[in-house]
Structure formats: structure tokens, C-alpha cells
Amino acid sequence: MADKLISLRDAISSLVSDNDVVALEGFTHLIPFAAGHEIIRQGVKGLTLVRMTPDIIADQLVAAGCVDKMVFAFTGNSSVGSLYAVRRAVEAGGTGGLELEEYSHYGLLARYQAGAAGIPFMPIRSYAGSDLVAINPRLRKVTSPFDEDVETYVVPALNPDVAILHAQRADRHGNIQSWGILGPQQEVAFASKRTIVLVEEIVDDDVIRSDPNRTLIPGFVVDAVVECKYGAHPSFAQGHYDRDNDFYRSWSAISKDPVRLEKWIREWVHDAGDHAGYLSKLGDGFFDRLTPAPRLSTPVNYGSVL
């Protein structure tokens, strides 16, 4: 298999373009913050950002002027506050505003599933009685060919131009292994036209082969793999570092003040230069308080006489 290991800077510059539909996934866990920061540094514009739970990374991308539209299911600062850049952009409306397209969590997952399966839409029942159908014309009611009395809605397939994900480990060929909360990582990788995955560590092929069922995303759907330790901070990577709740609690005050927010992006994204610069600003020993004690799973036996 081809070696797909490249730098974060090259992955974003070669695979993400202005006006792309970009899915940045990671459900509370494994949010690709480092990739979002690199998109800001490279000045990518006009993106449609797809994310089941747009939180701080969405706020930063909107504040930096990278995003024109957001396709989402829930947005907020993970139960601790608001996203004021997103709010200001929505309230501004018109040119410079932010267009929203809202689904339920399962509705957006169903869009990824349809895209991954190569089918035009996915039927779901959970929009029966929902007010979302009144504000999103892409939620269509259909008659079931099997039982016309069953109230059924469909959502259209979603095939993002680019999926950007984070995971714990991979080999150089892009075979991705992950554990903990997985969210829609696998579905969006199969649905997207191009896929970039950042990982905490690159491991030997034998490590991946020793536990094949843990391979969530096979290398044949991955275009670029980037080694990016702590690339999900301030979110968490199960077994590597915990969520930085101090940062999450501090964000609303930063986001609420446009001048303070602009200064934060300049200092922590642009002036940092790259992800290594960001980590350098955090300082030596920063992750000590976030590093969990090991809790290893028991190995399984893949042995066979064949």
C-alpha cells in the first residue's frame, strides 16, 4: 500500500479548497482542532462546515471568516456556554452572515450513511411530529412502499468534499484504529470524496495487524494521514489525554468579546505558526494534569489452525 503520511500543512493545502463542503467530525471526543487551526492559518474561505455538534472549533472557524454555511444537529459550547461568533454571524444575516441547515443527530448521521452506501437518501421515522420539518425543506415526507400508514421521512445523501478526523493511531498507509466514543467517524470517511485523518501516533504495520477488528477506517478510503500528537486539544483522545475543561469554561468569555476573540486567534493560531508552536505556547508539563492512568483492555485471541 502507498505511504500516505504527510504534514498537516501539506494535507490541508493539497486537499482542502475554498468553497468546499468540509466535515470535521469527532463527537465530544477526538475533535480535529489542529486541522481547524491550520485551515484558519491558510485562509481557506467559503466553506460549508458539516459537524454533528459544532462547538468551539466551529466558533473559531466562523470567527476567522472561513465558513459561510453550517450543516449541523446541535451547536453550543458543550453545556458550559454559548458560541458568540456563531451567534453574531447568524444574527448578522445577509452578506457576511452564516447560513444554517439543521437536522437531528440521527438525521445527519443518516445523511452520512446514505452517502457512504451510495444511495440517494435514507428513510427515518424520527421526524414524525418534529418542528424541524417546518424549517428544513430537505426533510421530505414519503409514502412507504410497504405500509402507507407508516409516517416516513427521508434525508438526502451527504458526500462532503473532505472529511477531517482525528484518531489514536494509524500505520503509514492510513489504516486508522480508534476506541472510546467513535461518533460518525467511519460513516463520514466512507461518504466523503477525500479523507484526512490526524492521529496521536504512527505505529508499525504489525501493531495494526495484531488487532484488525480495531481498524475503524481502512487505508483505501484515506487520502492523507498526519501524525499530530495532542491534535484534538482541548477535546480529548481516550487513553492519551482528558478533556481540558478549564479551556472549555474559559471560551465563552473569549468568544463574547470580538476584540478578545480576534486577539486569541491571532496569538494562538496565526502567531503560533503551526501545531508545534501551539503546544510550545501551552508549555512543558501542560498535559501532565490531563494524562490519565493506564487502563488497558485485555488482549483477544485471533489464533487459528488455518
Side-chain angles (χ1 to χ4, degrees), residues 58-114:
D59 211 33
Q60 294 171 354
L61 285 161
V62 169
C66 301
V67 179
D68 286 353
K69 179 177 179 179
M70 199 162 72
V71 179
F72 71 108
F74 161 86
T75 187
N77 182 11
S78 301
S79 303
V80 296
S82 295
L83 303 176
Y84 288 96
V86 168
R87 180 172 177 170
R88 284 191 291 271
V90 172
E91 291 178 345
T95 304
L98 178 67
E99 182 182 354
L100 299 180
E101 186 176 309
E102 184 176 1
Y103 296 85
S104 64
H105 277 116
Y106 184 63
L108 188 49
L109 175 63
R111 292 199 63 190
Y112 286 143
Q113 289 174 327

Side-chain angles (χ1 to χ4, degrees), residues 24-33 51-57 74-80 105 165-166 168 178-185 231-238 241-245 247-248:
L24 269 74
E25 284 299 354
F27 197 81
T28 303
H29 179 217
L30 298 172
I31 299 171
F33 272 91
R51 188 162 156 65
M52 292 185 75
T53 56
D55 54 5
I56 290 175
I57 190 59
F74 161 86
T75 187
N77 182 11
S78 301
S79 303
V80 296
H105 277 116
L165 308 169
H166 196 96
Q168 282 96 338
S178 191
W179 52 93
I181 301 171
L182 299 177
Q185 310 280 68
H233 175 267
S235 74
F236 68 107
Q238 187 78 47
Y241 47 92
D242 282 351
R243 190 173 186 263
D244 186 353
N245 286 317
F247 183 86
Y248 276 84

Side-chain angles (χ1 to χ4, degrees), residues 16-291:
V16 182
S17 301
D18 289 350
N19 306 311
D20 272 351
V21 177
V22 178
L24 269 74
E25 284 299 354
F27 197 81
T28 303
H29 179 217
L30 298 172
I31 299 171
F33 272 91
H37 292 171
E38 186 59 31
I39 288 172
I40 293 172
R41 280 186 208 100
Q42 296 194 16
V44 183
K45 302 295 185 186
L47 299 180
T48 293
L49 173 64
V50 188
R51 188 162 156 65
M52 292 185 75
T53 56
D55 54 5
I56 290 175
I57 190 59
D59 211 33
Q60 294 171 354
L61 285 161
V62 169
C66 301
V67 179
D68 286 353
K69 179 177 179 179
M70 199 162 72
V71 179
F72 71 108
F74 161 86
T75 187
N77 182 11
S78 301
S79 303
V80 296
S82 295
L83 303 176
Y84 288 96
V86 168
R87 180 172 177 170
R88 284 191 291 271
V90 172
E91 291 178 345
T95 304
L98 178 67
E99 182 182 354
L100 299 180
E101 186 176 309
E102 184 176 1
Y103 296 85
S104 64
H105 277 116
Y106 184 63
L108 188 49
L109 175 63
R111 292 199 63 190
Y112 286 143
Q113 289 174 327
I119 56 178
F121 57 82
M122 184 69 76
I124 60 176
R125 293 193 62 190
S126 58
Y127 286 121
S130 169
D131 290 338
L132 278 177
V133 298
I135 62 170
N136 185 344
R138 308 203 77 189
L139 304 174
R140 307 281 177 85
K141 188 175 181 180
V142 298
T143 300
S144 168
F146 302 104
D147 186 346
E148 62 182 19
D149 293 329
V150 175
E151 190 172 10
T152 303
Y153 285 84
V154 295
V155 293
L158 178 58
N159 297 102
D161 294 307
V162 191
I164 304 178
L165 308 169
H166 196 96
Q168 282 96 338
R169 69 188 184 194
D171 61 21
R172 301 176 66 90
H173 314 297
N175 294 298
I176 309 298
Q177 292 194 334
S178 191
W179 52 93
I181 301 171
L182 299 177
Q185 310 280 68
Q186 188 177 62
E187 290 84 354
V188 72
F190 275 85
S192 296
K193 299 169 188 172
R194 304 181 293 277
T195 296
I196 301 168
V197 186
L198 288 66
V199 294
E200 291 295 313
E201 59 177 339
I202 297 294
V203 297
D204 290 340
D205 296 2
D206 288 346
V207 174
I208 301 298
R209 289 172 181 162
S210 72
D211 193 3
N213 284 22
R214 206 182 301 280
T215 302
L216 183 71
I217 304 170
F220 64 81
V221 297
V222 174
D223 296 275
V225 61
V226 176
E227 189 169 36
C228 190
K229 191 175 179 64
Y230 300 122
H233 175 267
S235 74
F236 68 107
Q238 187 78 47
H240 288 258
Y241 47 92
D242 282 351
R243 190 173 186 263
D244 186 353
N245 286 317
D246 289 348
F247 183 86
Y248 276 84
R249 281 190 288 267
S250 73
W251 183 254
S252 289
I254 297 169
S255 174
K256 193 170 187 176
D257 181 344
V259 174
R260 188 176 174 188
L261 176 56
E262 182 180 356
K263 180 181 177 184
W264 188 95
I265 291 175
R266 184 172 62 252
E267 178 182 355
W268 286 89
V269 179
H270 291 293
D271 292 351
D274 56 20
H275 183 62
Y278 174 86
L279 295 180
S280 179
K281 284 182 64 64
L282 289 175
D284 293 340
F286 175 84
F287 284 93
D288 291 351
R289 67 183 175 87
L290 300 175
T291 302

